[in-house]
Amino acid sequence: DAKTTQPNSMESNEEEPVHLPCNHSTISGTDYIHWYRQLPSQGPEYVIHGLTSNVNNRMASLAIAEDRKSSTLILHRATLRDAAVYYCILRDSAGGTSYGKLTFGQGTILTVHP
Amino acid sequence: DSGVTQTPKHLITATGQRVTLRCSPRSGDLSVYWYQQSLDQGLQFLIHYYNGEERAKGNILERFSAQQFPDLHSELNLSSLELGDSALYFCASSVDGDFNSPLHFGNGTRLTVT
């Protein structure tokens, strides 16, 4: 599986935007970029995913670089509830033995200050 | 609430014993995934079932086995337990096994081996 690189930790203030970066320089043309987050004492939660174009949903926005070697998850107004570990994951659409599964890295620990 | 139910929430057992973890996927989901999360290893993919059939295997030990039943619930069996098997075990489900389908995680079973 292609690897992703994320900062170990980031901090933000409540109600401010947060930009969480992810580098994936070895991404292949068939890899989708997925973001999940894990709140304390809970299972991971799906946030957003995309292939080439920027994506928006009710939780966040995903900005994908033109060369697809990096992406940024944008939380428009951070709340205390957004404090979590955020995982950037490449998911292979070409099938094979990696079909469907997610491979988690270490993620970014986001701290939100009141 | 993700709609994925895992039982029991907590399990304490002794080394050498055998336990069964149970997962009920979201209604309509055909795929079930099992993950193990420990402090030093992070979230590790164990196994993926789709509509009763094994789809992919990850770093699952030979002492561990799983199955998905006709009603689509799944069980993860852990035998000859060792102290190092203490971890959080998560089940996730998705509509199908497709790379584009988000995974929905339960809140896990915390296994403590003493």
Side-chain angles (χ1 to χ4, degrees):
Chain A
D1 294 332
K3 289 194 181 298
T4 63
T5 304
Q6 299 177 252
N8 289 333
S9 62
M10 291 186 65
E11 297 187 17
S12 174
N13 295 318
E14 208 176 2
E15 298 191 6
E16 289 184 356
V18 181
H19 291 235
L20 296 161
C22 180
N23 285 320
H24 28 78
S25 58
T26 60
I27 191 170
S28 75
T30 56
D31 283 333
Y32 275 68
I33 302 159
H34 287 247
W35 283 82
Y36 282 73
R37 70 180 185 181
Q38 187 173 18
L39 279 64
S41 303
Q42 294 188 26
E45 174 186 31
Y46 167 78
V47 178
I48 200 166
H49 77 283
L51 182 63
T52 55
S53 305
N54 294 344
V55 185
N56 300 297
N57 67 20
R58 64 174 180 81
M59 288 181 71
S61 295
L62 176 60
I64 301 172
E66 204 168 322
D67 63 5
R68 300 211 324 126
K69 294 186 176 181
S70 66
S71 61
T72 303
L73 179 70
I74 303 165
L75 307 179
H76 296 285
R77 288 182 69 212
T79 69
L80 296 179
R81 199 195 168 277
D82 292 321
V85 180
Y86 286 78
Y87 298 97
C88 169
I89 301 164
L90 300 183
R91 204 170 179 198
D92 185 8
S93 66
T97 57
S98 65
Y99 184 75
K101 71 169 184 177
L102 296 171
T103 301
F104 288 84
Q106 294 306 307
T108 296
I109 301 171
L110 176 65
T111 302
V112 180
H113 300 289
Chain B
D1 181 10
S2 69
V4 177
T5 304
Q6 290 188 248
T7 56
K9 286 187 170 55
H10 303 276
L11 201 46
I12 301 174
T13 189
T15 54
Q17 295 298 305
R18 173 190 168 94
V19 296
T20 297
L21 312 183
R22 182 187 168 100
C23 170
S24 294
R26 290 189 326 156
S27 176
D29 284 359
L30 297 177
S31 267
V32 169
Y33 304 78
W34 286 97
Y35 282 81
Q36 178 193 57
Q37 186 171 36
S38 57
L39 281 174
D40 56 345
Q41 293 286 327
L43 273 157
Q44 297 287 313
F45 167 70
L46 295 178
I47 199 162
H48 168 207
Y49 278 85
Y50 173 74
N51 204 20
E53 293 191 5
E54 182 184 302
R55 262 291 169 86
K57 254 183 179 175
N59 300 320
I60 188 166
L61 300 171
E62 284 191 14
R63 300 183 285 109
F64 296 1
S65 65
Q67 54 183 325
Q68 186 180 27
F69 294 88
D71 68 352
L72 301 176
H73 91 271
S74 179
E75 293 181 356
L76 179 67
N77 300 298
L78 315 176
S79 61
S80 303
L81 285 168
E82 302 174 0
L83 294 177
D85 297 327
S86 296
L88 263 171
Y89 290 84
F90 288 105
C91 167
S93 72
S94 68
V95 171
D96 50 33
D98 189 80
F99 61 90
N100 228 0
S101 300
L103 269 61
H104 301 273
F105 285 79
N107 282 329
T109 293
R110 182 174 294 279
L111 174 66
T112 303
V113 182
T114 62

